[in-house]
Amino acid sequence: MSFFELVNCYPEGSSSASRMALAARSLGYRGIIIFSRDPEKIFMPGAAEKVKGIEVAFGVEASASSPRALKSRISSLRSRYPFVAVLGSSDEVIRMASEDPNVDLLIHPCDSRRPLGIATARAASSNQVSIGFDLYPMIHLRGNHRARWLEALRRNLELIRKFHIRTAITAGAATHLDLRSPRELMALAEVAGFEPDEAKEALCQPSRILELNRRRWAGPGVEIL
Amino acid sequence: MRSRRRYMIFELESEDTSGLIQARDLMNEIASSQFSLFGDEGAAKNRLRLISFDGRIGLIRFSHLHLNETRATLAAVHSIRGIKAAIRTKGVSGTIKSAREKYLPRLVKLSYESDGRRIERKDISGCIIRTHGVKVDLCPDDRYKSAGSEAQFMGLTSLDLCGGHEDADGTADGL
């Protein structure tokens, strides 16, 4: 299976891209997508590409001060990067990202006060936007905070299943010590409420997105061969 | 009737440099993670027991029906005694003997060597804490460089430091 993991590297994290690639390779990933708010500032991206036995791709996390500015930023980034993710920091951003077909992955925060809405889920489904779940809180939170996060995740998963939205899961690693192996991530996802098949599909989803974006498309459903 | 058991070999990867993490600390953290995720009832069904731990490699026993729960429990451990750590599962087997035979030989060649050298570059400077193959752990002079990820050290490789061939000792050009 082509399991891919999404990672943050130095300067947004504290491990370099090549260290992340080495750690991910030893954990059994086929590739990593290094995504950053400013990919040009990533420390020594060339060194990561020299690590053998693992595919390294660079993506971008689009962010802007307002939803309108974000939309124009996404369209300008689309042609330059094979993977465009948006962090759902507010309701407006989540709604905008779910309606934009240029967005590959919307990382939902799973806040119990801001659940995934029906309109957002329907828009994400029709625009083929995948919803990403960062399992970092599952690993790092304890007690009441984690219980609330799990409750929000389970509620979101009901809508995901209803609208047949593709999902992705990640450990949200900022250092090589935050990385977890695919089996461990699947085990955590199953405890959080994913079905075993859903968890496996979610780990393969980033590679599927990359593969689609590397092909040349003239329009929706029309590929240039 | 005796319940069926499984044995899991794991490796502890951490920022601990002076052997502060003992078997008791590790087991306390694993038990805390298990109680937090599955509660008393879940912990009663799957009684985890640490068979051995030498500071890096360990062997844990669990019920054969609860493999995924055990994986999730170990994956949810992120720090031990306040030191950032991760437990890497190496393999699962039905007996202690076969677990050791299958998964331990590959780990014998791993060994850390302590280091006292420095890296001086325009964007990164600090002391090398340890190296292992091409992997380099660096204690940055500017502690804010690793502040966002709760990590003490920065994870680099020699490829980052010289940009040359992967077998080259890249630390040499920054000393």
Side-chain angles (χ1 to χ4, degrees), chain A residues 5-219:
Chain A
E5 173 65 311
L6 309 174
V7 297
N8 278 309
C9 294
Y10 181 74
E12 282 169 26
S14 64
S15 290
S16 69
S18 59
R19 184 65 183 269
M20 284 290 198
L22 276 175
R25 187 182 68 180
S26 68
L27 290 174
Y29 285 100
R30 219 193 93 193
I32 55 169
I33 300 176
I34 298 167
F35 75 108
S36 162
R37 281 186 287 276
D38 191 355
E40 281 160 21
K41 283 190 183 165
I42 291 175
F43 177 68
M44 296 293 284
E49 287 164 351
K50 282 183 191 152
V51 177
K52 289 168 195 155
I54 188 161
E55 192 180 330
V56 179
F58 292 91
V60 64
E61 182 191 319
S63 60
S65 53
S66 69
R68 184 176 286 188
L70 182 62
K71 196 171 176 64
S72 59
R73 178 145 173 79
I74 289 166
S75 37
S76 71
L77 291 168
R78 177 70 279 178
S79 57
R80 284 192 281 155
Y81 295 99
F83 190 87
V84 178
V86 173
L87 183 64
S89 50
S90 69
D91 286 340
E92 292 80 25
V93 168
I94 291 173
R95 188 66 191 270
M96 194 288 301
S98 65
E99 289 170 354
D100 190 344
N102 283 329
V103 175
D104 292 319
L105 187 72
L106 166 63
I107 300 172
H108 199 274
C110 284
D111 186 343
S112 54
R113 287 166 296 178
R114 284 203 312 259
L116 192 66
I118 289 179
T120 307
R122 188 177 287 136
S125 174
S126 60
N127 292 306
Q128 295 188 338
V129 176
S130 304
I131 305 279
F133 294 109
D134 185 354
L135 300 184
Y136 187 89
M138 179 86 188
I139 298 167
H140 286 80
L141 296 183
R142 291 285 185 274
N144 196 21
H145 300 289
R146 182 157 65 181
R148 281 167 191 263
W149 182 85
L150 283 169
E151 181 206 353
L153 177 70
R154 278 171 205 266
R155 205 185 299 162
N156 290 343
L157 280 176
E158 284 174 17
L159 273 180
I160 295 279
R161 288 181 190 127
K162 183 177 166 72
F163 289 98
H164 307 290
I165 302 170
R166 291 208 180 255
T167 55
I169 51 174
T170 168
T175 80
H176 60 282
L177 290 175
D178 288 336
L179 279 172
R180 296 292 181 269
S181 71
R183 278 181 175 172
E184 286 168 348
L185 266 190
M186 280 193 270
L188 281 171
E190 282 175 41
V191 171
F194 280 78
E195 294 294 326
D197 288 347
E198 286 175 342
K200 197 179 262 186
E201 288 289 308
L203 270 175
C204 296
Q205 183 60 10
S207 70
R208 219 173 280 132
I209 293 172
L210 271 184
E211 195 190 325
L212 278 175
N213 287 339
R214 280 171 180 163
R215 283 150 68 178
R216 291 189 302 152
W217 300 94

Side-chain angles (χ1 to χ4, degrees), chain A residues 19, chain B residues 16-18 56 108-117 127-138 153 158 169 171:
Chain A
R19 184 65 183 269
Chain B
D16 180 24
T17 50
S18 46
R56 202 163 61 83
V108 171
K109 59 187 173 191
L110 302 180
S111 64
Y112 288 115
E113 44 188 86
S114 55
D115 210 305
R117 291 177 290 177
C127 289
I128 297 177
I129 298 299
R130 61 189 169 196
T131 59
H132 168 223
V134 292
K135 296 174 191 168
V136 178
D137 281 352
L138 181 85
F153 306 136
S158 55
D169 182 7
T171 57

